Amino acid sequence: MNDQLKFLSSKVTKGLMTRREFVGRAAALGVTAAVANTMLSDAAKADGHATPKRGGMLRVASDGGESTNTQDPALTASEVPLNNLRAWGETLVEVTENGEIDYRMAESVEASADAKQWVFKIRKGIPFSNGKDMTAEDVLKTMERHSNEDSQSGALGIMKGIAGMKVDGDNFIVDLETANADLPFLMADYHLMIQPNGGMDDPGAAIGTGAYTLEIDEPGVRHAFKRREDYWDSENRGWADEIEQLVLNDATARTAALQSGQVHAINRVDPKVAALLDRAPNLSVQSASGRGHYVFIAHVDTAPFDNNDVMLALKYAINRQEMVDKILRGFGSLGNDMPINSSYPLFDDTIPQREFSIEKAKEHYAKSGHDGSPIVLRVADGAFPGAVDAAALFQQTAQAAGIPLEIKREPNDGYWSEVWNVQPFCASYWGGRPVQDQMYSTAYLSTADWNDTRWKRPEFDTMLNAAKAELDNGKRKEIYSQMGRMLNEEGGLILPMFNDFVSGVSNNLGGWVTDGNGGMMNNKAMIRCWVNDA
Amino acid sequence: MHPIAKLIVQRVSLGLMLLFAASILIFGGTMMLPGDVAQQILGQSATPESLANLRESLGLNDPPVARYFQWLGGFLTGDLGTALTNGRDIAESLGFRLKNTLFLAFWAAVISVPLAIFLGLLAVRYKDRWPDKVISAVTLTTISIPEFMIGYVLIYWVSIKWGMFSSVAIINDGMSLAEKLNAIAIPVMVLTLVVLAHMMRMTRAAILNVMQSAYIETAELKGMGMLKIIAKHAFPNAIAPIVNVVMINLAYLVVGVVVVEVVFAYPGMGQYLVDHVSKRDVPVVQACGLIFAAVYIGLNLIADIVSILANPRLRHPK
């Protein structure tokens, strides 16, 4: 780094220059924005911002909370309750920002040679917030609660492949029906917070092994937590004495709260205002590319989508770059009609990217022999932010290729019950899954409940099972690559873009890392960040 | 029975009948919503088994009529039941929300009602001169701008630029009155600006209407001062329409502030109702709906009764 840049970056950390000005000056000196940003964070680290600080009150404002929320991990489905879970609870393992396994309640994991039996060694002497020590028995009960057919747990699907579970001393042992090399990743699912007696007595009591205890629980308004003195991993988490999460579902209200310094971080910054917000001197916009994707899904067992030429015509007729630029405002990346991107381990980047081509779309449409009747695409903005606009862009380019795409706007209300997974062609989104196996098992296995493209291919299922059992990563990658290519060529999924997680972060917050596993540092911002002037 | 007492009894019983009708409408309305509570709770992650399990455990398989009467009976005995979605006691959650809504409405009313009537009187006094025109122009402008827009503009200037009040209006029991007032300052400003014009214009129109009567002319000919005429002769006769419009706006401050609650994240009834409507949480929706209906009917009832009492022809029946 040359002296002039060093001088300038120190000005930024001292608050004498805005980040934006710095990036501008750096560009004038021939440095790209990405490099300039790295320089800034290095300068900030040198300035002492990288040393964690204990104490103070950390406050965030989040979208995705309602007055109907509970603290029961089984029923957790949106951002606010998820942030809460991470504050008071922990799972067996977590996935780090680099996609590796981070051991939490389990201190080690071992698989049998055929990947059908998994042994989790459970840590000793870790107290729940009610004072009782966590045991392998509690782990077993937790998993039993989530695997019970009567349970309403969102993790029920994950637990289905488990043939049996037992406790042996400090070990929690899982036997699988079919081998699965990725089981530890599945155990990182946020529903599976370890609770005393598995949460069978009072699932919403918010008692766990996390760094904080719940003090105030006003669903849809705010949730406040206090740091636990007896937290086992206080060297790495739980810096602030108190944390508070305000529920601000209105994007403008959230932005205003950050700008006026009332909160340290906000989630889901509207891409429309992100660039403007980033100009403010006291905060920055942090974007993490993840596995979430915005899609148009067609049932491949229903006319006219059972005709692969119609599908290919539609796939070629969508202008992905335009979608990323106009709908995501650059906060995202191109999709390739398969639900996997480079955020996944074992992703094959040699699969060719499908390009926008009016000619090819015309060609396939002509070849399909479609009768020219309107192809109805159902959308609502509830499907994903900007879905209606995205559909309008799609319609324009499709019409240019002579495809009679018709948009039917549906109400947000009831979209997930009346349209998604019911109507043959509609807009939707997926949050992604930690590993390819789970993503495919959830939505592309012939028997999957959420097979929203009606993709039923025995050979695909066979490949998926083969990959599950394969412990050699090279061979698994090869199988996954074939599966990806197959979906790209014949699937009912039209996937124009992967969306980033965009957060707004005050300069007064330390410890922010980019984590594409989920929004707000995979919902760990409150427990892993600290307040600089605490 | 005294004719006025008779009229009042009639009005009150009519109000109760309306309330009963409203409860049926609310129930029917919630039945017509697409999807059900189990589907909404589980959202995109619903599997057929988990749906069936949740439906069973929430009692959604009982016939609607039975569920309706069960609930109505509970309501009359003060038991609102528990929310289907998170199992919380409805009376408790609702009490907290209602208290907050009334708190916000109270301060908005304390500022806006006297201000509106004062401005209305001022406008009459200076009819067609510049104060009248300025008052009308300003209040009509603010009523014409959507509330969320006024809210955002005030947040931008007052909170972000001048750093005066909080942009988040979340209040709690641990706060002192001064802190609470600081938190709700901007929402109160928004609500005041939104309801001012309606009440002010009605005050102005009602008094001007009375001012054209023969007895005002007589008072003028007697040589009474303008202010005295307005205060002594015109205003009492304009009370009925003014009370009516004031009550409508008070009702609005209680039941119509959803947008303001969302913009400022204020923990009131509106946001609570909206969340539960989208989850098809019928008992909560009905409880909220019935309370809103009661507020509306109650305030209109008061307006009616005040009008009756203020009307000399009814007060002194022949």
Side-chain angles (χ1 to χ4, degrees):
Chain A
M1 193 192 312
N2 73 37
D3 287 343
Q4 196 180 353
L5 277 172
K6 211 178 255 177
F7 167 73
L8 291 175
S9 59
S10 74
K11 272 180 86 170
V12 181
T13 52
K14 293 192 177 77
L16 299 171
M17 189 190 241
T18 67
R19 284 179 66 254
R20 198 175 177 83
E21 276 170 343
F22 174 78
V23 175
R25 299 274 191 96
L29 291 165
V31 175
T32 66
V35 174
N37 273 320
T38 316
M39 281 181 185
L40 269 188
S41 57
D42 288 347
K45 275 177 197 153
D47 200 45
H49 277 51
T51 324
K53 268 198 167 165
R54 215 167 268 292
M57 156 96 110
L58 193 160
R59 246 179 164 192
V60 303
S62 313
D63 176 30
E66 291 160 321
S67 41
T68 50
N69 291 149
T70 91
Q71 296 285 340
D72 181 354
L75 299 178
T76 296
S78 57
E79 201 89 334
V80 167
L82 184 43
N83 283 330
N84 290 334
L85 288 192
R86 296 265 195 228
W88 62 256
E90 281 174 306
T91 47
L92 277 180
V93 294
E94 285 177 7
V95 181
T96 67
E97 57 271 22
N98 304 319
E100 290 148 9
I101 290 286
D102 178 15
Y103 295 100
R104 305 308 297 177
M105 293 303 96
E107 66 182 38
S108 65
V109 180
E110 267 175 54
S112 62
D114 62 355
K116 282 178 97 166
Q117 187 178 67
W118 288 81
V119 179
F120 294 82
K121 189 162 195 295
I122 306 299
R123 278 180 212 273
K124 273 197 224 170
I126 294 179
F128 283 118
S129 53
N130 64 0
K132 185 185 159 298
D133 271 2
M134 190 264 316
T135 64
E137 199 62 39
D138 294 315
V139 175
L140 177 67
K141 285 277 196 264
T142 301
M143 300 305 165
E144 277 175 2
R145 183 164 86 92
H146 291 279
S147 54
N148 186 342
E149 285 293 322
D150 292 338
S151 89
Q152 300 140 17
S153 174
L156 190 59
I158 293 173
M159 311 303 291
K160 269 188 176 163
I162 295 179
M165 299 181 288
K166 60 175 180 269
V167 166
D168 177 19
D170 290 329
N171 291 333
F172 166 65
I173 302 167
V174 179
D175 286 303
L176 298 176
E177 282 164 7
T178 48
N180 188 348
D182 283 330
L183 184 78
F185 285 94
L186 302 189
M187 292 290 124
D189 187 284
Y190 60 79
H191 296 101
L192 304 175
M193 292 288 160
I194 309 302
Q195 293 176 281
N197 195 25
M200 301 230 184
D201 318 318
D202 185 0
I207 295 168
T209 59
Y212 291 89
T213 50
L214 180 67
E215 296 288 310
I216 294 164
D217 190 23
E218 290 170 8
V221 183
R222 67 184 182 128
H223 307 271
F225 299 83
K226 224 172 142 174
R227 186 158 59 92
R228 281 176 63 186
E229 293 305 327
D230 59 348
Y231 179 54
W232 66 281
D233 193 22
S234 60
E235 291 306 303
N236 295 304
R237 293 181 174 191
W239 301 109
D241 287 340
E242 291 172 87
I243 54 180
E244 186 174 43
Q245 176 171 219
L246 306 177
V247 183
L248 293 183
N249 292 322
D250 183 87
T252 312
R254 222 158 47 242
T255 317
L258 181 68
Q259 280 180 293
S260 61
Q262 292 175 69
V263 296
H264 294 106
I266 58 172
N267 69 353
R268 292 195 202 154
V269 171
D270 187 343
K272 284 184 196 128
V273 302
L276 289 170
L277 192 63
D278 203 32
R279 284 186 204 172
N282 58 340
L283 55 91
S284 63
V285 170
Q286 299 283 349
S287 162
S289 50
R291 307 183 182 105
H293 41 279
Y294 294 166
V295 295
F296 299 107
I297 48 174
H299 290 175
V300 284
D301 62 354
T302 311
F305 311 107
D306 53 355
N307 180 338
N308 198 41
D309 279 308
V310 170
M311 283 315 301
L312 282 172
L314 288 168
K315 285 174 181 175
Y316 278 113
I318 199 162
N319 188 340
R320 293 145 208 273
Q321 191 60 51
E322 187 184 33
M323 295 256 175
V324 172
D325 293 344
K326 293 189 175 156
I327 306 297
L328 301 176
R329 308 260 170 161
F331 290 95
S333 51
L334 293 186
N336 196 21
D337 301 329
M338 51 185 274
I340 307 300
N341 66 357
S342 58
S343 306
Y344 283 86
L346 308 180
F347 169 69
D348 179 8
D349 55 12
T350 62
I351 301 177
Q353 169 69 44
R354 177 162 285 125
E355 303 290 344
F356 168 54
S357 164
I358 295 280
E359 286 70 41
K360 283 193 177 165
K362 276 184 180 162
E363 214 175 278
H364 283 287
Y365 186 67
K367 213 172 132 197
S368 75
H370 184 252
D371 60 3
S373 58
I375 296 174
V376 180
L377 171 63
R378 291 165 201 268
V379 288
D381 267 327
F384 61 83
V388 174
D389 295 340
L393 290 177
F394 189 11
Q395 186 183 33
Q396 273 182 6
T397 48
Q399 276 174 350
I403 304 170
L405 191 62
E406 190 182 297
I407 309 291
K408 184 160 190 304
R409 200 168 172 175
E410 300 280 348
N412 284 337
D413 225 33
Y415 188 81
W416 301 112
S417 58
E418 311 288 303
V419 180
W420 176 75
N421 220 354
V422 176
Q423 296 291 347
F425 193 28
C426 71
S428 178
Y429 91 95
W430 275 94
R433 292 294 184 270
V435 285
Q436 301 196 31
D437 173 57
Q438 199 185 347
M439 187 66 235
Y440 286 135
S441 304
T442 313
Y444 300 92
L445 196 65
S446 301
T447 52
D449 287 325
W450 300 347
N451 188 337
D452 57 8
T453 54
R454 305 289 187 266
W455 171 253
K456 289 168 187 169
R457 299 293 173 92
E459 66 271 31
F460 189 87
D461 297 353
T462 313
M463 281 195 269
L464 186 58
N465 285 327
K468 259 188 221 272
E470 184 56 65
L471 290 177
D472 178 338
N473 277 344
K475 287 183 189 157
R476 280 177 84 200
K477 186 171 172 177
E478 181 47 40
I479 304 175
Y480 284 142
S481 171
Q482 281 179 34
M483 291 163 66
R485 284 169 201 262
M486 198 172 158
L487 271 181
N488 168 282
E489 276 299 313
E490 298 163 29
L493 180 74
I494 303 175
L495 195 162
M497 53 192 156
F498 283 88
N499 59 304
D500 289 354
F501 298 108
V502 189
S503 313
V505 182
S506 155
N507 289 354
N508 195 18
L509 195 76
W512 187 274
V513 294
T514 304
D515 189 335
N517 290 306
M520 293 290 270
M521 289 172 55
N522 197 15
N523 308 100
K524 291 180 248 181
M526 292 201 298
I527 53 175
R528 287 185 61 191
C529 290
W530 57 84
V531 181
N532 282 322
D533 65 1
Chain B
M1 201 194 259
H2 191 280
I4 292 180
K6 200 174 152 194
L7 259 174
I8 290 175
V9 169
Q10 267 177 6
R11 291 297 158 106
V12 170
S13 37
L14 197 66
L16 288 175
M17 276 160 63
L18 264 176
L19 210 51
F20 181 67
S23 79
I24 293 171
L25 279 179
I26 292 163
F27 189 86
T30 50
M31 288 285 104
M32 283 192 285
L33 290 169
D36 71 1
V37 59
Q39 179 75 54
Q40 294 302 320
I41 292 174
L42 296 172
Q44 202 196 16
S45 56
T47 60
E49 303 98 273
S50 58
L51 262 183
N53 293 337
L54 195 56
R55 277 200 185 110
E56 181 62 42
S57 68
L58 294 177
L60 296 182
N61 297 331
D62 296 342
V65 178
R67 265 156 56 205
Y68 169 69
F69 279 105
Q70 207 177 356
W71 171 80
L72 194 67
F75 197 93
L76 294 176
T77 53
D79 171 21
L80 305 192
T82 52
L84 296 178
T85 43
N86 60 359
R88 293 198 167 220
D89 187 61
I90 297 175
E92 204 177 290
S93 320
L94 226 144
F96 166 76
R97 299 283 183 153
L98 184 60
K99 197 179 74 185
N100 288 342
T101 290
L102 292 178
F103 182 74
L104 182 64
F106 172 79
W107 287 102
V110 161
I111 294 171
S112 62
V113 172
L115 189 63
I117 291 174
F118 171 74
L119 289 177
L121 293 175
L122 208 64
V124 173
R125 170 69 186 82
Y126 296 102
K127 182 172 173 287
D128 292 337
R129 286 155 62 188
W130 69 265
D132 180 28
K133 286 179 179 155
V134 169
I135 291 168
S136 289
V138 171
T139 53
L140 287 177
T141 306
T142 58
I143 203 179
S144 312
I145 304 172
E147 298 153 275
F148 71 87
M149 188 71 198
I150 300 181
Y152 290 155
V153 168
L154 286 181
I155 286 177
Y156 183 73
W157 286 104
V158 182
S159 182
I160 298 178
K161 284 282 157 186
W162 303 335
M164 275 174 66
F165 297 108
S166 160
S167 72
V168 178
I170 293 179
I171 60 168
N172 60 64
D173 292 338
M175 291 166 110
S176 69
L177 183 64
E179 282 171 331
K180 282 187 184 174
L181 291 180
N182 175 37
I184 65 164
I186 303 183
V188 165
M189 286 180 211
V190 175
L191 289 177
T192 303
L193 289 175
V194 168
V195 298
L196 207 54
H198 195 192
M199 292 191 285
M200 185 292 273
R201 298 287 295 180
M202 187 54 102
T203 307
R204 183 179 177 275
I207 294 177
L208 281 180
N209 194 24
V210 175
M211 295 289 274
Q212 279 158 15
S213 321
Y215 62 87
I216 300 288
E217 208 173 332
T218 313
E220 260 176 63
L221 292 173
K222 278 197 315 196
M224 267 176 103
M226 195 57 181
L227 269 179
K228 206 169 172 190
I229 293 176
I230 293 174
K232 241 186 135 167
H233 293 285
F235 188 65
N237 285 289
I239 278 178
I242 294 173
V243 166
N244 255 316
V245 71
V246 166
M247 288 304 163
I248 285 173
N249 281 285
L250 285 185
Y252 172 81
L253 288 177
V254 177
V255 308
V257 296
V258 179
V259 173
V260 172
E261 286 181 4
V262 170
V263 169
F264 294 94
Y266 189 76
M269 295 271 287
Q271 186 60 52
Y272 184 71
L273 174 64
V274 168
D275 283 354
H276 287 82
V277 167
S278 61
K279 285 278 192 288
R280 316 285 179 262
D281 197 336
V282 177
V284 176
V285 175
Q286 282 195 311
C288 286
L290 212 53
I291 288 174
F292 282 163
V295 167
Y296 233 94
I297 293 170
L299 287 173
N300 276 300
L301 209 61
I302 294 173
D304 262 8
I305 293 170
V306 170
S307 313
I308 292 168
L309 294 179
N311 187 339
R313 271 163 299 195
L314 285 166
R315 220 162 45 202
H316 304 290
K318 281 179 187 132

